[in-house]
Amino acid sequence: MLDVRGLRKVYEGSGRTVEAVRDLTFSVAAGELVCLVGPSGCGKTTLLKCMSGLLAPTGGEVLLDGRRVTGPPPGMAFVFQEYGRSLFPWMRVGQNVELPLKQKGMAKERRRALVADALESVGLADAAKAYPWQLSGGMQQRVAIARALAYEPQVLLMDEPFAAVDAQTRADLEDLVRRLWRERGITVLFVTHDIDEAVYLGERVVVLSASPTVVQEELVVDLPVERDQLNTRVQPRFAELRTRVYEQIQAAKRGSVSAAPGAPGAGVEKE
Ligand SMILES: Nc1ncnc2c1ncn2[C@@H]1O[C@H](COP(=O)(O)OP(=O)(O)OP(=O)(O)O)[C@@H](O)[C@H]1O
Ligand SMILES: [Mg+2]
């Protein structure tokens, strides 16, 4: 479904050149739920922006269903890390969620139903008439999630979507993502720096190295499909998997010390 091949991204401007992503190759099958973890600054957001056609890669390519991505593909929705900048402050919550549906040319009746349904599923049924700036950070992020859900995407890219929500809501939203993934068969790529979250949510975890970024390791999460917050997290296998991911991330950080002194991750203990 999603194919990232030899992706490279170099930011250039005002005398500063940053090689954010060096050489990334991995793929996500149709209907798969993959989590992507990696050290801060390793290029996760950059990668998602390239995958969603918002940024042009410096090298390599992203294929969606075999076709090269050159702009935002229809059928793909994103939840950005910077939720504060992703909602229109002059539009009410309901209108924010409805906007992409209008752009899809969907009939009013159907739009209303989808908006109500999506707000309901993130626990914000009462907030439709509010303005985003009247809501807390976590609530705003849930609006952004509702907007992505209402769109009924085939592919959903999420960039640390739960970073700003409280632990309780976060657990609920994690279960919501799992449920939607199972019910709707959507393909999900979920970026997080929370190792437990990656293992709890994913069917597979892709660990990225520190910048300049390559794939450090890919790990199949062989936990039962049926997961719940209490039981799954205390299973021995869960602990094994999280340890494995943790070790890989540590290794990724150490790797950057020898590769590029002064790079993000430098100063982390050496072996
Ligand atoms: N627009 C930009 N111009 C120049 N450099 C950028 C730009 N956006 C990101 N970078 C640089 O690219 C690298 C990767 O940034 P990116 O935001 O993709 O990392 P990330 O893995 O998402 O980090 P985090 O976990 O903190 O969200 C960083 O060194 C960053 O400074
Ligand atoms: Mg980021």
Side-chain angles (χ1 to χ4, degrees), residues 3-230:
D3 255 316
V4 177
R5 291 192 192 156
L7 191 78
R8 177 162 192 261
K9 179 66 192 179
V10 181
Y11 289 106
E12 281 179 85
S14 50
R16 183 170 172 263
T17 303
V18 180
E19 185 185 27
V21 172
R22 174 160 291 175
D23 181 11
L24 271 184
T25 299
F26 68 95
S27 49
V28 181
E32 208 184 2
L33 200 180
V34 173
C35 287
L36 202 75
V37 293
S40 182
C42 77
K44 303 182 291 298
T45 298
T46 301
L47 166 66
L48 284 207
K49 285 182 178 165
C50 290
M51 293 180 84
S52 58
L54 298 173
L55 263 185
T58 309
E61 58 182 1
V62 176
L63 302 175
L64 174 65
D65 254 340
R67 271 188 300 268
R68 192 177 184 149
V69 172
T70 51
M76 189 188 268
F78 343 97
V79 179
F80 294 103
Q81 187 171 13
E82 296 172 331
Y83 59 87
R85 286 197 238 159
S86 78
L87 300 174
F88 295 114
W90 62 89
M91 285 185 181
R92 294 176 194 276
V93 163
Q95 294 171 316
N96 264 286
V97 176
E98 193 182 6
L99 187 64
L101 309 183
K102 273 190 176 165
Q103 286 164 346
K104 248 185 182 180
M106 198 178 272
K108 197 168 180 178
E109 212 63 347
R110 177 104 181 101
R111 290 198 315 250
R112 290 275 151 85
L114 283 171
V115 170
D117 190 41
L119 285 173
E120 170 89 51
S121 59
V122 297
L124 286 177
D126 300 339
K129 292 274 191 294
Y131 286 97
W133 41 268
Q134 293 173 317
L135 305 179
S136 72
M139 289 164 90
Q140 289 177 33
Q141 185 60 316
R142 283 187 280 157
V143 175
I145 294 166
R147 184 175 55 187
L149 297 178
Y151 187 72
E152 298 188 299
Q154 289 149 289
V155 179
L156 180 59
L157 304 183
M158 303 180 95
D159 192 1
E160 301 194 27
F162 307 152
V165 302
D166 62 281
Q168 201 55 59
T169 307
R170 183 179 190 142
D172 291 345
L173 290 175
E174 286 169 358
D175 290 334
L176 175 69
V177 168
R178 292 271 318 167
R179 182 162 59 79
L180 289 167
W181 166 71
R182 289 182 65 186
E183 286 175 4
R184 302 192 187 178
I186 42 182
T187 307
V188 184
L189 184 63
F190 189 103
V191 168
T192 175
H193 56 230
D194 183 322
I195 296 165
D196 287 62
E197 182 165 81
V199 174
Y200 181 74
L201 274 183
E203 296 297 297
R204 195 150 61 87
V205 178
V206 175
V207 181
L208 300 182
S209 73
S211 189
T213 311
V214 297
V215 172
Q216 174 94 9
E217 151 129 331
E218 296 194 42
L219 202 93
V220 173
V221 178
D222 49 3
L223 294 168
V225 178
E226 204 71 60
R227 297 183 194 173
D228 79 82
Q229 295 285 350
L230 288 179

